[in-house]
Amino acid sequence: MKISRNWLQSYVNLEGRSNDEISRAITFLGFEVESIHLTGAPKLDAVFVGEVLTRNRHPNADKLSVCTVDVGPVHGVKTIVCGAQNYRVGDRVPVALAGAVLPGNFTIKQSKIRGEMSDGMMCSGKELGIGEDHSGLLILDHRPALGLPINEVLPPGDAVFDIEITPNRPDCLSHLGIARELAAWFRVPLNYPEVMIERTAPSRDADRHDLLRHVRVEAPDDCPLYLARVIAGVKIGPSPAWLQERLSSVGLRPINNVVDVGNFVMLEYGQPLHAFDARKLSGPEIVVRRAVEGESIVTLDGKTRALSSQTLVIADAVKPVVVAGVMGGENSGVDASTTDLVLEAAYFRRQSIRATSKRMALSSDSSYRYERGVDPHALPEAARRAVNLILQTAGGQLVGPQFSVGGDVPWQREILLSPDFVNERLGFAVPAADMKAALESLELTVAREEEGASGVVWTVEIPSWRDDLDRPIDLVEEILRLHGTERIPASPVIAPGLPENDDPVVDYNRRALAYLVGHDFHECVNYTLRSAREAAVTVDSSTVEKLALSNPFVEDQSHLRASLIGGLLESLRLNQSRGLSVTRLAESGRVFLEREGRLLECVAVAFLMAESVSERSWLNREPADFFGAKHHAHSLAALAGLDLARFTRPVVGGECRQWQEGHAGVAGDLGQGWRASFGLLSVAAVKSLGVSGRVYAGEVILLPEKVGAERTHRRYKPFGLFPAALRDLAVVVDESLPSEEARRALVKAARAVIGPAFAIERVAVFDVYRGEGLPPGKKSLAFSLVFRAEDRTLTDEEVNRVFQALQESLIAATGYGIRK
Amino acid sequence: MEQQLSALQQKAQAELAVIRTRPELEAAKARFVGPNGELTALMKQMGTVPKELRPAMGKQINETKVRVQAEIDAALARVAEAEVAAQVGPAIDVTLPAPDPGPGTFHPLTQVREEMCRILRKVGFAVADGPEVETEYYCFDALNTPADHPARDAQDTFYLPPEADLANVSKRSAGERYLLRTHTSSVQIRTMLKGPPPIRIVSPGRVYRRDTTDATHSANFHQLECLYVDRNVTVRDLKALLDYIFTSLLGKDTKTRFRPHYFGYTEPSFEVDLSARHLPKVNKEWIEIGGCGMVDPVVFDGVGYDSKIWTGYAFGMGLERLAMLLYGIDDIRYFYQNDLRFLRQFA
């Protein structure tokens, strides 16, 4: 909201206070000052009113003139070279003489211009710092006296504060509201405008009584109070200079005296008012009602707007003439021909106006105020103020009675406040007298003071414009505002220890990222919202639908992500396209997966390892491969306490959308609360996203509620100090048999034959062989076996016995061959 | 004998000097000083030497033996050195770059978040987490946001379609819509509903606004919020926390100030400005950094805390904004592009 300093001055004396001081006060009262705009003429020395006596062409320049100018009796007649074209001999204009400093620090000197001496400069509006008009000299049409200092002729300077009013303070959407706050801050009186009680005798002109006979409110819920007055015989014309100046100062274009008064009073009191042409009404009747489906209105902005049955309108007997609280209709607008007015002042329910404004996508100064709430109790006063000003500026006289429909909206609010409570909440002591002074400076009157069981209790009366104040804590804020938030004393943080740990999800993320960064990955952050195209690469089409937002803002951010890998590929693509060699990227964040038709919000950590496509190196390392990806996925799962090795299976079917079949694995299941995928990304999918080269990746997905809820300390298990016995065993199995299955069969057989005597400590594949010496369709898996007893050194004999027995048992159980 | 000794010594010297491998050395050693070696054979001839010459001869033999052994030791040292040289290969140009990628880097947003969490951890805040898809209750209702508040508009907030169904994000009522949380304050509500006070949490996380992306706006950004609920928590405590946070982060000469403001879920409410030296690209004395206030009693009533007993404060700020201030980054979009030249600067 734009607030003019000169305008404020009408209600609160700010003389002697700098703009910065006022800005600071507004800031610490709780309103952000977005800008201060200086308008009007700055203080200008050595600039006077002059009159052009002669004008001759400059001998050396076609576009310049050499003029003689009378600058009054003190300065006499001067010679001035001028480039402007818009003036005539006899015009009075501003003349800057030697020594003048114009805005922009432009100093005027006596100087030669193209060989002709010039004593100064005749000025445009822009050169004087008033407005942007630079098309020619500022012609002083009202012919002020020669030699007058120009500041006596030009509008005075003003400072306009652009202030952000918080939604809880609709009372400050007005000059009076801000003036009240400043008066409280500076502890100076607030001067309300003088409103004369109108004493104009009702006219006896019967015809004029007929201008308005009835006001009917058919929607009292949305319009609890409606006032209307008729003013007859007005003469529409331009507003007086003072009124135009007020409106212009805050960026409103003056229109005519009646419209300007309406705007002025709205900006003064915060109460929207509306005047319309009484003679344009069809019949002497006003109805406040909801529109009928199918009705429409052309609003004052020239647009035709369809009305719905929820729209509150002001109508005559036939048609809507105003969209209530939002904008008037062209069919009833005040124009040059208007002689008789209806002036409306109403209280509309904020929800109703907000709904209409939203539905019509039409916001106005009026709707903005209604939406935030106006003070119904200021309404009659604002209406009287407007009537006064209209009679003053447009003439005419009040006719007929004041129409007032709807009850006085009841208002009485008191808050019980104890000064001790204020100090308790603040954490520092403010003297009770200061508190009381602060409240009363805001017209929050301490009506009674009682000694209660727990100390003094005040009864504070809340004025009607402060609907935001309802509870003692609200008054704590008022007291603190006026006391000054900059005076809150410094102190140390007092922090009694609480036995809380970081959320396990946070803890997991932190450790997972530390792992990845420790392995040379660059952590990325990508948008959660992805394109439909990317989603389709990740999940099947029914899931893509479930990931869609109902109201995306841009097309390529329309879906929740089901995987972090899409974002990482995008980062990879961006770096590749910028010629940057990047191989390892990682991210942690939320992803959304479908299970049994419902979405799950999951925690995810992902990484990718790409071939370096652009950078050559003096020494080549082995490129990334499947087992590198598996290793990192394994480690990331292990950080969440999960053993990926136990559950790994190849990706098949739908899972292959993102992964390359035969080159990727998956472990776990969302039903168990986790899933890990790793391996080579689908070469086709990666290419379709614009990334070149093979990309290996891994992603571990966890349900947040399943991430290590309780952290307990591990229990130590003793380990054998006697030497181990080692044996190697190669089994011949079907090509398609997963090695892990063979390994488990081996472990199982070994455990069975060893019994409790000692332990098989480790079984690990150390060789995979295909080809010569093996039947087609078979492979050989060579395992190393480690046996150990906790209490003794194993003898060759007993190990051999077990080794032999386990081979027999394995063959019997599985039919594997043994490769000698 | 004397000549034999001197000849032996010369022969040993000549032969050992060219030995390069351990087997050659072992053979030579056996040939000269082994049980069947030439020196041993000479020593065995001592018996034939006349008695009076024996001391002088013995001395001579000993001297020869010492000299031969010295030659052997020298040869051993040469062999050992040659072995190591073969094992390690030629000398390396240590100025050549390592061909591996890296080092890895934490994203600047992570670094700022972790730094803030560390600072807050020291004064007892535990890091809390919550879902990014939220319901209207947790994001708005419970935070005292009126039903017709503009923040709820589909123009400002991302919604999921009415039929959306999240198995692990609970709704309070069937009619509620799912949305992308517009602030992390929803975590405060979930935390308070989970258990009784006292509570001291910091909740960093992603939030979403339906906003045009430009240099200073992003539809997806990060916030960090603190909530403390206990008996007798005061405005002064809140100011103390903010002073602590920013002096910890930016140095002892950092100052904060409160400006009264309005938020639906705090009363009184403030905007927080900070003033610090050495911030890059900052040419104002005071910079707005976040919002805070005392938790509104309505919020406590909503989560079943007795607002006559419990008081609390909340503080929230944008992490991108903080990172931009700290590092002098002038475009928020850089955080989401992951250009390596950007990421590497914060390693």
Side-chain angles (χ1 to χ4, degrees), chain A residues 81 156 214 285 290 297 304 355 457 539 777 787:
Chain A
V81 177
H214 306 288
E285 182 178 41
R290 295 205 177 78
I297 188 170
T304 305
V457 176
V539 292
F787 302 94

Side-chain angles (χ1 to χ4, degrees), chain A residues 297-434:
Chain A
I297 188 170
V298 179
T299 42
L300 282 170
D301 56 3
K303 295 202 174 110
T304 305
R305 297 178 187 270
L307 302 171
S308 88
S309 60
Q310 282 133 24
T311 310
L312 191 69
V313 294
I314 315 301
D316 60 21
V318 178
K319 59 184 188 297
V321 295
V322 178
V323 180
V326 181
M327 196 174 276
E330 267 189 356
N331 57 10
S332 62
V334 172
D335 58 33
S337 69
T338 302
T339 54
D340 306 318
L341 301 172
V342 176
L343 179 75
E344 158 203 303
Y347 176 57
F348 300 117
R349 197 168 62 94
R350 50 198 282 194
Q351 288 83 353
S352 163
I353 302 303
R354 177 168 153 69
T356 298
S357 164
K358 210 174 137 185
R359 202 166 41 240
M360 297 181 116
L362 177 62
S363 180
S364 62
D365 285 337
S366 164
S367 69
Y368 187 76
R369 285 172 174 76
Y370 277 121
E371 278 175 37
R372 291 177 169 227
V374 301
D375 173 15
H377 305 274
L379 199 152
E381 164 105 347
R384 277 203 303 278
R385 170 76 163 157
V387 168
N388 262 207
L389 290 174
I390 289 172
L391 297 180
Q392 236 179 64
T393 61
Q397 58 182 172
L398 275 171
V399 294
Q402 167 169 284
F403 295 91
S404 173
V405 183
D408 195 16
V409 182
W411 180 267
Q412 197 205 352
R413 190 177 291 172
E414 292 176 346
I415 298 175
L416 297 181
L417 181 73
S418 121
D420 288 346
F421 172 82
V422 178
N423 285 331
E424 273 165 32
R425 291 303 154 102
L426 291 178
F428 55 92
V430 175
D434 291 4

Side-chain angles (χ1 to χ4, degrees), chain A residues 354 471 477 485 590 601, chain B residues 129 132 148 258 267 296:
Chain A
R354 177 168 153 69
R471 306 160 302 175
E477 178 167 45
T485 46
R590 297 299 177 114
E601 180 169 337
Chain B
D129 193 51
E132 290 175 12
D148 64 344
F258 283 4
E267 181 73 31
D296 196 293

Side-chain angles (χ1 to χ4, degrees), chain A residues 575-576 578-582 611-617 692:
Chain A
N575 279 290
Q576 283 183 351
R578 292 180 179 178
L580 301 166
S581 172
V582 58
E611 289 173 308
S612 173
V613 287
S614 58
E615 198 168 73
R616 290 177 299 170
S617 175
S692 29

